[in-house]
Amino acid sequence: MNGGHSDVLIVGAGPAGMAAAVSAAGLGLSVRVIDDQVAPGGQIWRGIEAVAASPRLARLGDAYGEGVSRAAAFRVCGALYEPQSQLWQIEPGFRAFVTRDGEARVFTATAVILATGAQERPVPFPGWTLPGVLTAGAAQILLKTADQVPEKPVWIAGCGPLPLLYMTQLLAAGGSIAGFLDTTPRGRMGAALRHLPGGLRRLGDLVKGLSWSRALQRQGFPIIRQVTELRAEGEGRLQRLSYRTANGRGDSVPAEVLLVHEGIVPNIHAPLALGCDIRWHEGQHCYVPVLDEWGEASQANVFIVGDGAGIGGMEACEPRGRLAALRLAARMQKLGEAAADAAARKERAALSRALALRPLLDTLYAPRPQVFAPADETLVCRCEEVTAGELRSRAVQGQPGPNQIKAFTRAGMGPCQGRQCGYTVAHILAAAQNRSVEDVGFYRIRPPLKPVTLGELASLDEQETAA
């Protein structure tokens, strides 16, 4: 039944997970890395090894190209790497239940580093479940891994750095853009500029973002500002896109592909499954784990790194991973406390520089209010087909919380386990009950974290019997 024991089990092989693995293995710890992707890189450097020798590398930008050396270092660091391994349950102690090639295994470890990253913030609006409506992150994955470029011009709606980056990459790959619906609300720039002095430590990133914006403006496709409402329409698939701006302007245009993005939020399901405390991050409008200066959660020997610790971007991922490795090496007597503290000072300085721009970005690209207040007919829980109207009608019946709403409506019970509806449910309840989202809370996470078949569960019994 047991797939093996290690000092440290790392979940995720993105920038943070790879940095943690290289550092921990280099300090003498036995390390196992489980990852549901076929190769290291995570979302940021997805497919980097396959792309490294292709013309795509240059088109995807310098930041993406940095992953080549990171993946190479990870491959030779000595950590046991388990790709295509889907984590579906993790228990204190620690036991991680994983499925690979249709067979379940259990790995044990003295400590766990969760490097599970972030997900795009769900953006429910009328028609968002139609074929042809995707997220910008999903489109970027297709571009990175398969060099897939939409045949027809695409509409892009949302805000934040990712749409700008994807549009730049798409044009470099020979794609075309029908238009950009910028949902950044009016007045955000003035509020964001208050954080400019602190963000000057990341001046290069500011210049890069401005260069993307200026280059896109020269392409000639329409850029519509201050979009507040979206609606996707069509018979069986996306055929039309309707929008309205803050000044009341509206239009309906033909569309075959719509890519949406309203920021990212940490993946918190695994920390919640382990009983780790979370808190509401007002600036990022999401829950983040409660962590100490090393990245350790409220549960001993559980560390959370990368964007799963709070959205910080690629540059923040690696120092967070290395800090966790340093702390564990000292705790397991592979490194002296003084040496760990000295090395940590360098990593914390790097982390501080990496996060310098976050207050400005968080203020400028905070989600518009309409993201959390979809129209009554909008499907909020795609898995169980629960609408915003159903949730609102239940919300005023005895002031239920998310878990009671889950029992009443099945919202959050589907295969995604609330990843696509959790925040929207919480905001709908908060608005209906005149409470804060922090007071409303989040779903209680139960296993399995990801779908698992009866055959995979049965393989655990077979292994146990054979043992």
Side-chain angles (χ1 to χ4, degrees), residues 100-265:
R100 183 179 182 181
D101 296 329
E103 184 176 288
R105 301 169 68 189
V106 181
F107 296 116
T108 61
T110 304
V112 170
I113 297 178
L114 298 174
T116 51
Q119 67 170 74
E120 288 184 269
R121 186 189 303 276
V123 189
F125 59 90
W128 74 306
T129 59
L130 280 173
V133 181
L134 299 87
T135 67
Q140 190 187 51
I141 288 171
L142 291 172
L143 181 61
K144 289 178 178 178
T145 59
D147 206 18
Q148 280 201 12
V149 175
E151 182 181 358
K152 301 290 181 65
V154 302
W155 282 91
I156 297 171
C159 68
L162 180 60
L164 301 180
L165 173 59
Y166 174 73
M167 286 189 282
T168 302
Q169 293 172 335
L170 178 63
L171 292 170
S176 57
I177 298 169
F180 175 40
L181 304 177
D182 186 349
T183 62
T184 307
R186 179 189 290 117
R188 287 287 174 80
M189 183 58 74
L193 286 177
R194 292 199 299 268
H195 301 289
L196 181 60
L200 289 177
R201 285 189 291 169
R202 304 292 301 181
L203 182 60
D205 289 340
L206 285 170
V207 172
K208 185 190 301 181
L210 289 172
S211 68
W212 290 342
S213 295
R214 288 171 180 163
L216 292 171
Q217 288 170 1
R218 292 194 294 268
Q219 294 299 315
F221 58 81
I223 299 177
I224 294 93
R225 308 286 185 186
Q226 299 170 16
V227 172
T228 58
E229 298 177 21
L230 293 171
R231 180 179 293 270
E233 302 166 336
E235 301 300 323
R237 64 162 293 107
L238 176 66
Q239 296 171 322
R240 296 174 304 281
L241 167 64
S242 299
Y243 64 86
R244 186 168 296 278
T245 65
N247 62 9
R249 174 192 171 192
D251 201 357
S252 181
V253 295
E256 294 188 26
V257 178
L258 169 64
L259 308 177
V260 296
H261 179 84
E262 293 282 356
I264 59 177
V265 295

Side-chain angles (χ1 to χ4, degrees), residues 81-96:
Y81 177 45
E82 307 277 355
Q84 295 181 282
S85 298
Q86 182 168 273
L87 176 74
W88 49 268
Q89 172 59 355
I90 188 164
E91 298 176 347
F94 293 93
R95 297 201 306 165

